[in-house]
Structure formats: C-alpha cells, structure tokens
C-alpha cells in the first residue's frame, strides 16, 4: 500500500500571526546576562590573561591588577594635590579663619622701625596692625598667651592668663578687628587710644 507524500504548505499569513503572538516568543525566555562596564573590562582582561597564565591564575591576577591600578590612581591624585596645594597636608600650620591674622611671625618684625615708618607715612591702618602684633609679642614674651602662627585674635582673648588684663586686651583686640576686617576708619585718635590700652597691659603685668 502506497502512502501519499507528506508535503507542507508554507502559509505566510499564519507564520506572521505566530511571530506576532507573544506566547510563541521563545527567545524572550533566554536571559542574556548583562554586565556593567567595569565588569566587562575585568572579564576582557581575564580572557586576555587566561591565554598567558591559564585558567587557574587569571581571576586572581585580574583582581590584584585592578587593586594595583586603583591604588596608583589614588596615589596619583594625592600626589597631584600635594604638588598643587601642599597646605592641605600641613594641619599643624593650617591657615587662620576669616577673623585671623596673616601668617606672620611676630618674632621677625622690627616693631619700632615698622611703627615709625607707618606713622611717618600717615598710614594709621598699618600702624594699628603693627601695634596689635606688638601687643601679641608682649603677651607671648610674658607667657600670657601661647602664640601660634595660625591662631585667631579671639583665641588669644579667651586664653589670656591674667584675668585682670582681659578687659584692656579685649578692647585693643576689638579695635584691631574693626579696622582690619570691619572697614572702620583708622585715625590717629584711635591709634593713640590703642597705645594707652597697650600701656595699661604693660603696666598691669609689672605689678
């Protein structure tokens, strides 16, 4: 008995219908793993190293290589910052606050000479500044304060040891701050007043 040949007829319409039917979209069930860019780079390096070191050491080599690159990158950033801004790494010599004074060593200033020059030029703003710094030198020499180049004037007021002298020292400091940072006009009268406050401090410490 002869069986008729089994033939298939291609029905384009049915095929299109099947393809449009989501129930027959089997490819969507095949999940392709997604990797981030760093992971893709790591896997690429691992594949390259496997050809040289073999499967057993490639993964650990890549891990240590990436750690080394990270350490070098951090070291490079730190070195760059150190070259550009070395002050960031000198905590013991930090800059003063906005109400501080410039990093100027009071033991390197000839106050008599500077004051005479400022007064001769009529620069009372500079004269008041020199007078204040000279007062800090006086207080430091008598161990009333612990002078440090980064400290602010208000810190010296709070730490001044002779309590009886805090009032004139606070007044003198306040006048200096007003002229230096408060845009107050520096005058001969103000300078003379601050000189009297300094004399009061000088005489009070000799009692």
């Amino acid at each position: 008995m002869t069986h008729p040949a089994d033939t298939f007829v291609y029905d384009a319409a049915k095929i299109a219908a099947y393809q449009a039917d989501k129930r027959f979209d089997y490819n969507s069930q095949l999940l392709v793993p997604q990797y981030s860019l760093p992971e893709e780079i790591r896997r690429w390096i691992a594949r390259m190293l496997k050809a040289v070191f073999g499967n057993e050491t490639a993964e650990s080599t890549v891990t240590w290589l990436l750690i080394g690159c990270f350490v070098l990158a951090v070291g490079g950033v730190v070195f760059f910052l150190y070259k550009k801004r070395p002050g960031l790494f000198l905590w013991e010599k930090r800059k003063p606050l906005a109400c501080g004074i410039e990093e100027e060593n009071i033991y390197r200033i000839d106050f008599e000479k500077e004051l005479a020059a400022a007064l001769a030029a009529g620069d009372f703003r500079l004269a008041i500044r020199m007078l204040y710094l000279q007062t800090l030198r006086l207080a430091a020499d008598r161990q009333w304060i612990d002078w440090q180049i980064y400290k602010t004037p208000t810190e010296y007021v709070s730490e001044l040891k002779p309590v009886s002298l805090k009032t004139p020292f606070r007044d003198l400091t306040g006048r200096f701050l007003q002229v230096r940072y408060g845009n107050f006009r520096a005058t001969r009268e103000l300078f003379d007043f601050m000189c009297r406050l300094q004399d009061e401090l000088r005489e009070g410490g000799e009692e």
Side-chain angles (χ1 to χ4, degrees):
M1 182 177 180
T2 303
H3 297 282
D6 189 6
T7 60
F8 293 94
V9 178
Y10 180 80
D11 192 332
K14 287 185 178 181
I15 296 299
Y18 289 138
Q19 290 177 340
D21 194 334
K22 293 183 179 181
R23 293 176 301 171
F24 299 100
D25 186 10
Y26 300 115
N27 289 334
S28 63
Q29 306 301 318
L30 300 176
L31 298 178
V32 179
Q34 299 294 327
Y35 299 105
S36 62
L37 180 59
E39 180 63 18
E40 288 287 357
I41 295 175
R42 193 193 71 81
R43 289 169 62 84
W44 177 79
I45 296 175
R47 288 194 299 269
M48 297 294 293
L49 292 178
K50 281 179 182 180
V52 178
F53 299 102
N55 294 335
E56 296 182 357
T57 60
E59 289 295 331
S60 60
T61 302
V62 171
T63 300
W64 284 109
L65 181 62
L66 292 178
I67 292 175
C69 291
F70 177 76
V71 172
L72 288 176
V74 173
V77 172
V78 172
F79 179 76
F80 176 80
L81 291 176
Y82 176 76
K83 296 296 288 185
K84 293 294 185 180
R85 299 288 300 276
L88 296 175
F89 301 89
L90 301 176
W91 300 107
E92 72 279 4
K93 295 182 180 179
R94 64 186 187 277
K95 289 185 179 297
L97 300 177
C99 61
I101 58 177
E102 288 82 352
E103 294 186 352
E104 189 165 12
N105 194 330
I106 59 175
Y107 290 96
R108 296 178 181 174
I109 301 175
D110 185 342
F111 289 108
E112 297 299 329
K113 176 181 177 181
E114 295 296 332
L115 279 169
L119 293 174
D123 190 348
F124 295 108
R125 184 179 181 85
L126 177 59
I128 286 173
R129 179 166 173 268
M130 288 295 107
L131 182 70
Y132 172 74
L133 294 176
Q134 185 184 48
T135 305
L136 288 185
R137 171 69 182 271
L138 169 68
D141 287 346
R142 297 188 179 183
Q143 298 183 341
W144 296 345
I145 61 172
D146 177 24
W147 179 82
Q148 297 293 335
I149 205 166
Y150 57 79
K151 282 188 177 179
T152 63
T154 52
E155 287 180 283
Y156 292 124
V157 172
S158 63
E159 72 180 41
L160 190 76
K161 299 219 177 129
V163 178
S164 60
L165 299 179
K166 277 200 172 186
T167 298
F169 186 69
R170 183 186 299 109
D171 290 344
L172 188 145
T173 301
R175 298 302 190 281
F176 164 73
L177 292 175
Q178 288 175 345
V179 172
R180 186 68 176 165
Y181 303 105
N183 294 322
F184 276 63
R185 183 167 174 262
T187 61
R188 179 76 199 207
E189 292 75 18
L190 179 57
F191 174 78
D192 291 340
F193 175 71
M194 293 178 66
C195 284
R196 291 194 294 272
L197 290 175
Q198 187 190 69
D199 290 341
E200 184 177 345
L201 288 168
R202 197 185 303 274
E203 294 169 2
E206 295 176 351
E207 295 178 356

